[in-house]
Amino acid sequence: MYNRWYDKYPELKSLLLLLETVDKQYIDLIASDFLQIILEKYKTKFDEVIQQMADNPPPRYNRWYDESYDLHTCIQFIKYLDDNEKPELINSFIVSLLSFITNVDDE
C-alpha cells in the first residue's frame, strides 16, 4: 500500500530522499537543471503535461519540495508522464543531481 503517489516509484522516492538532504541554497539551481532536462527530452509533451498539472492542482502545497516552485513543477511533471516514461526522466534527474553534488563538493 502506498501513502503518496510517488511511493510506488522506488527511483523517484530515492531521488526525493537525496534531494531532501541537499542544502536549500542549491535547490533552485538543481531544479533549473531538471527543468532544462524536461524541456530537452519532452518538448513535444511539455504543454500537454503542464496543462494536466494546471487542471489538477494539489489540494495543499505543504511538502518540502513545494517550497521551490521550479522543483514542485519538476516533481509534478513526473507525476503526469506515462509510467513507461517516468524511469528515464527520473534517472536523468539522478545523474544531474549526482553531477551537481560532485561539482559542489570539489569546490
Side-chain angles (χ1 to χ4, degrees):
M1 181 151 169
Y2 302 111
N3 293 328
R4 300 164 295 201
W5 70 268
Y6 55 81
D7 285 337
K8 65 181 179 176
Y9 305 102
E11 296 88 358
L12 179 55
K13 194 171 176 183
S14 295
L15 172 64
L16 289 172
L17 288 170
L18 185 57
L19 275 170
E20 203 168 6
T21 67
V22 172
D23 191 324
K24 299 290 184 226
Q25 70 177 338
Y26 299 121
I27 290 296
D28 286 333
L29 289 171
I30 292 166
S32 292
D33 284 346
F34 289 178
L35 284 172
Q36 195 62 35
I37 292 168
I38 289 170
L39 290 171
E40 289 171 9
K41 291 183 178 282
Y42 299 97
K43 61 181 146 201
T44 59
K45 292 189 86 163
F46 187 78
D47 289 340
E48 172 192 336
V49 174
I50 294 296
Q51 187 59 54
Q52 286 178 302
M53 291 167 54
D55 292 344
N56 299 291
R60 296 174 308 281
Y61 292 86
N62 58 356
R63 294 193 174 110
W64 68 267
Y65 62 79
D66 293 333
E67 294 173 14
S68 165
Y69 179 77
D70 289 344
L71 185 58
H72 166 84
T73 300
C74 294
I75 303 305
Q76 290 298 110
F77 193 91
I78 293 170
K79 181 178 184 178
Y80 290 102
L81 277 179
D82 295 332
D83 277 353
N84 60 340
E85 294 175 301
K86 284 176 173 63
E88 181 183 352
L89 182 56
I90 293 166
N91 287 331
S92 295
F93 284 0
I94 290 171
V95 169
S96 174
L97 178 58
L98 292 175
S99 175
F100 184 87
I101 290 169
T102 302
N103 289 330
V104 168
D105 286 346
D106 288 343
E107 292 178 359

